[in-house]
Amino acid sequence: MTMKAVIVPEVKAAWELHERPVPEPGPKEVLVRIHACAICGTDLWLAHGVLSFREFPLLMGHEGVGEVVAVGAGVTERKVGDRVGMPMMQKRCGACAFCREEHPNSFVTAGNCANPTLTGVNVDGAFAEYLATDVGGTVLLPDGLSYEDAAPTLCAGYTVWAGIRRADARPGARVAVVGLGGIGHFAVQFAKAVGYHVIVVTRTPDKHELARELGADDVVADGAALEEIGGADVILHTSSSHAAVIDAMTGLRPWGKVVLMGIGLDDLAIPALSLTTHSHQIIGSAHNGLEYLSEALDIVASGRVKPMTELFAVEQANDAYEKAAAGEVRFKAVVTFGLDS
């Protein structure tokens, strides 16, 4: 049997649709028929050669969701018919120093294990009709949650919710979201869903109304304006600009926290004096724990958070890539495989 697979043949090349053999699940693996896979900023960096973990051609995709259609030897955790998602972290090596130290949540923190198996990064991903993956690299989807909404939650939504949990802010805290894009639009909704006073910091005027529609209580242009309206206890950095979050720290209250979940190419120049005198904390946050993904999926399934997506059939995958790379998608491009939700 063959399947359709979206292939990136070389750096910055158009994404192509190829026919490839359907993989077979090995021991402790499941075969998933993919229904949808969202494009992540990491995919763009891989396609552009900014990040490199293996040689081209690439079959990417770590925001894939679908249905288990076969299980390999020794699989008891999943069964045929299960609806699952496949986040980036598929399997840790189990042999490096970090794995041997048994840190909490080390299984799903891609940057900690020295030799992790990363779906769509250093092994084939979910921009294909089928994916064989380690059973431990799957998570069950809640009943009633569409594949189209589940896909972007697998990384962007997961990142945000894990960061909010890491911040551990008091009830009713003032939370500022820097940036309103693929991650930021999740951050506004998740923060509002759990009762925080939400402030969006964006210099883009045409995003102000949207920010309020998503649940923002206030919208400001910069850190000075944030300080003027009372500041924030937590800043969620969802932007691709480090300069933007450093500017926003002008409005960070004493003992406040900055949670870094966006990644920029510019230098991160932290203001040391205010960091020290105000006892600020800078927290780097990845996915942090598989339980946080399950929580994020449940919140989206409840309707309290709604991903903003644009759908593309697999035959339109290159159109999806080009629009995402140009910043023309609000806010998540989702490639679908012609299957029911």
Side-chain angles (χ1 to χ4, degrees):
M1 292 178 60
T2 62
M3 65 178 183
K4 295 176 181 177
V6 179
I7 303 299
V8 185
E10 58 186 3
V11 173
K12 296 184 178 180
W15 292 14
E16 300 174 352
L17 197 60
H18 288 210
E19 289 287 327
R20 282 198 169 186
V22 174
E24 295 185 5
K28 300 298 291 182
E29 290 186 341
V30 294
L31 181 65
V32 179
R33 189 179 186 188
I34 303 298
H35 288 225
C37 185
I39 295 177
C40 177
T42 303
D43 294 319
L44 301 180
W45 281 21
L46 290 167
H48 293 168
V50 177
L51 295 176
S52 179
F53 294 89
R54 58 176 176 158
E55 295 182 355
F56 287 82
L58 302 179
L59 198 177
M60 303 185 301
H62 60 269
E63 294 184 338
V65 291
E67 178 184 359
V68 176
V69 294
V71 299
V75 172
T76 58
E77 303 91 330
R78 299 286 181 261
K79 64 182 186 303
V80 172
D82 281 346
R83 301 170 70 247
V84 296
M86 285 73 66
M88 181 188 292
M89 186 66 186
Q90 184 179 142
K91 183 171 63 175
R92 62 175 176 169
C93 73
C96 70
F98 189 87
C99 286
R100 293 198 306 271
E101 290 167 4
E102 294 295 332
H103 290 271
N105 301 324
S106 62
F107 184 84
V108 294
T109 307
N112 301 147
C113 172
N115 296 291
T117 301
L118 305 177
T119 299
V121 178
N122 58 9
V123 297
D124 284 349
F127 285 127
E129 290 182 300
Y130 293 90
L131 173 66
T133 181
D134 190 272
V135 66
T138 66
V139 61
L140 291 172
L141 302 181
D143 293 339
L145 178 61
S146 72
Y147 288 117
E148 292 84 354
D149 284 348
T153 308
L154 262 288
C155 186
Y158 185 9
T159 297
V160 165
W161 181 244
I164 289 174
R165 294 283 260 119
R166 280 287 301 277
D168 193 27
R170 60 175 173 77
R174 294 170 64 84
V175 174
V177 177
V178 178
L180 191 61
I183 299 177
H185 91 285
F186 270 112
V188 175
Q189 295 182 79
F190 273 116
K192 191 65 179 179
V194 291
Y196 295 133
H197 181 99
V198 182
I199 307 152
V200 169
V201 183
T202 176
R203 294 183 183 273
T204 308
D206 66 355
K207 289 185 177 180
H208 285 213
E209 182 178 351
L210 175 60
R212 295 187 185 279
E213 290 174 359
L214 291 171
D217 299 286
D218 298 295
V219 185
V220 297
D222 53 30
L226 176 61
E227 183 180 34
E228 186 176 337
I229 65 168
D233 302 296
V234 174
I235 292 175
L236 301 179
H237 173 25
T238 76
S239 171
S240 59
S241 166
H242 290 142
V245 74
I246 297 306
D247 174 80
M249 286 182 66
T250 301
L252 185 62
R253 290 174 161 182
W255 293 87
K257 301 175 182 177
V258 178
V259 183
L260 299 176
M261 57 187 72
I263 302 174
L265 295 178
D266 57 326
D267 290 336
L268 179 62
I270 298 173
L273 180 60
S274 62
L275 185 73
T276 302
T277 58
H278 294 312
S279 297
H280 289 158
Q281 296 183 50
I282 310 293
I283 301 171
S285 179
H287 288 153
N288 304 336
L290 201 58
E291 67 271 27
Y292 298 149
L293 175 54
S294 294
E295 290 173 356
L297 289 166
D298 284 340
I299 293 171
V300 175
S302 76
R304 290 180 288 165
V305 170
K306 175 66 176 176
M308 294 182 65
T309 60
E310 186 172 343
L311 305 183
F312 298 83
V314 65
E315 292 80 7
Q316 301 170 307
N318 188 61
D319 295 336
Y321 155 63
E322 291 182 348
K323 289 193 69 173
E328 296 174 355
V329 176
R330 283 200 173 177
F331 283 106
K332 292 291 292 183
V334 178
V335 176
T336 64
F337 292 83
L339 303 174
D340 295 334
S341 295

